[in-house]
Amino acid sequence: MSAILYYISGHGYGHAVRSSLVIEALKQAAPKLDIHVKTTAPEWLFPPVTYSRVALDVGVVQNDSLSMDLAATLEACQRLHHRAPAIMAEELNYISRNKIGLIIGDIPPLCFAIAKRATIPAVAITNFTWDFIYRAYIKQYPAFLSLVADMEQSYSQATLALTLPYSCELDVFPRREKIPWIARVSPLTKAAARRKFALPRFAVIVLLSFGGLGLKQLRWEELQRQSDYYFVASGEVMRRDRNLRIIPAAQKGYADLIRAADVIITKPGYGIVADAIAHRVPVLYTDRGEFAEHPKLVEALKECATAGFIPQADLFAGTLAPHLSRILNQAPRNQSGVMLNGAAVAAEKILYLLENLESSRRSNLSELTRT
């Protein structure tokens, strides 16, 4: 069977986490399948693959999880655009050397143009596209316009788009098929998860989830005054102080940390929304700036989870107790109909496409042999 090359956006952890789940599902269904991953997301987020640290998209440049730098984003996108021909040449050579038969993208636009040049199929797995995100910035930064047009052209060359629930506008893909949520689910009980992280057994655990960039503006000293709650976050340095705990490198077992929590405070990103829905943990969400994916994920939280809004002013001031009391006393939403097997469904569709491709190649080879 031909190898698969998986290009993944390094923006946040959400793209990498859901891609790792699809890779695990592919490996379970086809253990001998050779999978190559190219991304700027950390290698430790993935199961064993052939990994290369390569950037095929920019995402949005951020100082922390809630602060976007659009000027720097535009500049980085323009630099990448100028390097695109050289990147394409390098990737076409890589594809030829490693006998790549199919490309998956989540969701660098350039990877679909590369697949078209390599004459191999390409599958997108996503809930948004970068042209959709950047289109919101054209009025403020008109130079995004030409970049958006190029991205649309690249996305339009995808063979198939597997679209996740609550997707943004994805008409740029000619062929689309819906799949369920791709979500990680902890196998642990709440008690076992708390033991794993040495968290208090009976405390009200509040998980502050702001991705790999964190949230430097939080007033930690104010949180420590709210003794009815035990606050947990992941960070670079371990810290334990009264009702506050910072756990380093928690992303490796983040689903277990979600399981341990009674409530999550976060910005809406695909990964944490999927996690919250999968573990049925209430969510307090805040604004995340002008990011066009935001309204769709808020809609998902409102319809599929127990959720409430916390203004950034209250979040930064550490005024969390009134909001926490409200969300914890809110009636839980019925989430029984939410499907979470998107990784397995995606893997099945990808392998079906790959097997059909292999069958077609064998038929063509047989025909050439007979003639």
Side-chain angles (χ1 to χ4, degrees):
M1 183 177 286
S2 299
I4 286 177
L5 177 53
Y6 211 136
Y7 291 103
I8 304 163
S9 173
H11 178 90
Y13 281 153
H15 302 270
V17 168
R18 70 187 180 201
S19 296
S20 72
L21 294 172
V22 174
I23 291 168
E24 287 177 0
L26 286 167
K27 287 286 193 179
Q28 287 176 3
K32 294 183 179 179
L33 180 63
D34 187 16
I35 300 178
H36 300 243
V37 167
K38 294 202 173 194
T39 182
T40 55
E43 184 176 2
W44 57 260
L45 282 169
F46 303 96
V49 293
T50 302
Y51 172 91
S52 302
R53 187 172 176 82
V54 174
L56 252 69
D57 65 359
V58 170
V60 176
V61 178
Q62 296 182 246
N63 298 318
D64 66 19
S65 288
L66 296 177
S67 303
M68 299 190 297
D69 188 334
L70 297 184
T73 299
L74 174 58
E75 189 177 316
C77 286
Q78 289 172 328
R79 285 198 304 269
L80 183 67
H81 178 74
H82 291 144
R83 291 183 53 241
I87 293 172
M88 183 171 288
E90 291 171 6
E91 295 308 307
L92 290 172
N93 185 33
Y94 186 93
I95 288 165
S96 177
R97 289 198 326 267
N98 292 280
K99 298 181 173 56
I100 304 297
L102 183 142
I103 285 173
I104 307 174
D106 186 350
I107 39 150
L110 187 56
C111 74
F112 304 101
I114 291 169
K116 184 72 172 180
R117 282 282 299 276
T119 64
I120 58 177
V123 178
I125 302 178
T126 193
N127 62 314
F128 72 83
T129 54
W130 286 117
D131 65 294
F132 178 79
I133 300 298
Y134 296 145
R135 203 176 297 135
Y137 310 142
I138 291 173
K139 186 174 181 180
Q140 187 177 359
Y141 294 93
F144 270 116
L145 181 59
S146 61
L147 295 169
V148 164
D150 286 340
M151 290 175 188
E152 290 174 344
Q153 176 61 26
S154 294
Y155 283 130
S156 71
Q157 296 174 29
T159 308
L160 171 66
L162 301 179
T163 64
L164 293 156
Y166 295 91
S167 287
C168 303
E169 180 184 313
L170 295 176
D171 292 346
V172 68
F173 295 113
R175 181 184 167 200
R176 302 177 297 279
E177 294 182 14
K178 294 180 179 180
I179 62 172
W181 287 93
I182 297 175
R184 51 190 171 182
V185 181
S186 170
L188 302 181
T189 64
K190 187 181 286 288
R194 292 189 175 193
R195 285 196 300 271
K196 174 180 176 176
F197 296 105
L199 299 175
R201 184 178 177 185
F202 297 110
V204 179
I205 304 291
V206 180
L207 177 60
L208 304 167
S209 182
F210 290 93
L213 294 171
L215 194 61
K216 300 177 180 66
Q217 301 102 310
L218 277 176
R219 292 181 59 188
W220 300 105
E221 70 281 1
E222 186 60 34
L223 301 188
Q224 290 178 303
R225 295 190 183 100
Q226 299 172 60
S227 57
D228 289 342
Y229 304 102
Y230 192 97
F231 297 96
V232 180
S234 59
E236 295 179 3
V237 180
M238 181 179 290
R239 176 179 174 184
R240 191 166 194 165
D241 191 358
R242 289 186 287 177
N243 65 332
L244 174 64
R245 179 84 185 277
I246 298 178
I247 302 171
Q251 277 290 341
K252 258 190 170 174
Y254 209 72
D256 296 333
L257 199 54
I258 298 284
R259 177 71 80 197
D262 292 301
V263 62
I264 300 166
I265 301 180
T266 191
K267 67 165 187 180
Y270 177 89
I272 192 62
V273 169
D275 284 340
I277 291 170
H279 294 88
R280 303 189 178 192
V281 181
V283 176
L284 283 173
Y285 64 89
T286 195
D287 293 318
R288 60 178 298 184
E290 194 175 1
F291 199 81
E293 179 197 25
H294 178 86
K296 281 290 186 180
L297 292 177
V298 169
E299 181 184 352
L301 284 172
K302 289 179 177 179
E303 294 184 359
C304 302
T306 304
F309 176 71
I310 179 170
Q312 281 193 17
D314 287 353
L315 177 63
F316 295 152
T319 310
L320 307 184
H323 299 281
L324 288 168
S325 176
R326 171 171 48 85
I327 194 71
L328 289 167
N329 286 300
Q330 191 171 317
R333 181 171 292 278
N334 183 355
Q335 298 171 236
S336 57
V338 180
M339 300 296 292
L340 304 171
N341 62 332
V345 173
E348 182 181 358
K349 290 178 180 292
I350 290 163
L351 289 173
Y352 180 79
L353 182 60
L354 192 58
E355 287 164 4
N356 280 353
L357 179 67
E358 296 288 330
S359 177
S360 177
R361 283 175 179 166
R362 286 193 295 269
S363 295
N364 290 340
L365 182 60
S366 177
E367 186 68 28
L368 286 170
T369 302
R370 284 199 299 271
T371 57

